[in-house]
Amino acid sequence: AAPPRSPAEPPPPPPLQYSVLLQHLVGDKRQPRAWDPAALGGIPCPPKSEEQKMVERVMESCPFKAALACVGGFVLGGAFGIFTAGIDTNVGFDPKDPYRTPTAKEVLKDMGQRGISYAKNFAIVGAMFSCTECMVESYRGKSDWKNSVISGCITGGAIGFRAGLKAGVIGCGGFAAFSAAVDYYLR
């Protein structure tokens, strides 16, 4: 038998109920904790200055992303154009005189023209895709694979639409599928 309690002694607390525990863990009475990496053994980070915040806002803006994709596309397209011209056996070929060997100057001129042509095309496609992806992401408020598929469809459709409605639909589907594949392998 339990010993008798004195009147000055407080009564024992009631047994902890599951629903009361849940209210403290996930319910209305939950107290959010500030995330401190130093408490977890991480390296503490000083607060960001206004300049750092401004640079982050600029780098996350749609115009900056589009400009970066445009420059990257120009460089990649130029390199790809020069490479394909370098392995093409018809560079510098003159149909009027098929037995004449082209000069180095003619070959380099053709390589430069093809490199610039590819560079401009890649730059336009890169800027269009990046800009539409950023706008779709801003509109949806999410960053997932659907953004790249939607923007791929818009970009491919816009490029293909110049050749007609059927080419626009094929371009939309093809570019969306390519964007989904690239996004799948990169994430």
Side-chain angles (χ1 to χ4, degrees):
R5 271 193 320 245
S6 67
E9 189 177 322
L16 192 58
Q17 295 176 357
Y18 185 67
S19 60
V20 174
L21 180 64
L22 278 179
Q23 286 296 321
H24 285 283
L25 293 177
V26 293
D28 298 333
K29 296 179 183 176
R30 179 176 171 261
Q31 297 292 324
R33 293 188 305 185
W35 187 74
D36 183 18
L40 301 173
I43 300 172
C45 298
K48 295 179 182 175
S49 67
E50 287 302 316
E51 292 84 13
Q52 288 174 324
K53 291 177 185 176
M54 184 183 70
V55 168
E56 281 184 358
R57 282 192 300 269
V58 167
M59 292 182 78
E60 289 294 324
S61 69
C62 290
F64 181 80
K65 288 180 179 180
L68 190 63
C70 184
V71 170
F74 189 85
V75 170
L76 184 66
F80 187 70
I82 290 172
F83 174 74
T84 58
I87 61 172
D88 189 4
T89 57
N90 291 329
V91 172
F93 178 73
D94 185 10
K96 295 176 188 170
D97 189 10
Y99 297 109
R100 185 181 69 80
T101 303
T103 64
K105 184 177 181 180
E106 292 171 338
V107 171
L108 289 174
K109 181 180 175 187
D110 282 353
M111 288 174 73
Q113 287 174 343
R114 188 179 295 188
I116 291 294
S117 174
Y118 276 55
K120 287 190 290 187
N121 290 335
F122 274 52
I124 290 169
V125 170
M128 283 178 64
F129 180 81
S130 178
C131 193
T132 56
E133 184 179 33
C134 188
M135 290 189 318
V136 167
E137 183 177 329
S138 298
Y139 177 76
R140 290 185 67 230
K142 296 178 184 177
S143 179
D144 58 2
W145 62 273
K146 293 177 186 177
N147 295 340
S148 62
V149 171
I150 293 168
S151 60
C153 180
I154 292 169
T155 303
I159 291 170
F161 190 68
R162 296 184 300 174
L165 182 61
K166 184 177 178 182
V169 171
I170 292 171
C172 170
F175 213 105
F178 180 72
S179 300
V182 168
D183 198 66
Y184 175 77
Y185 285 110
L186 289 181
R187 287 194 184 202

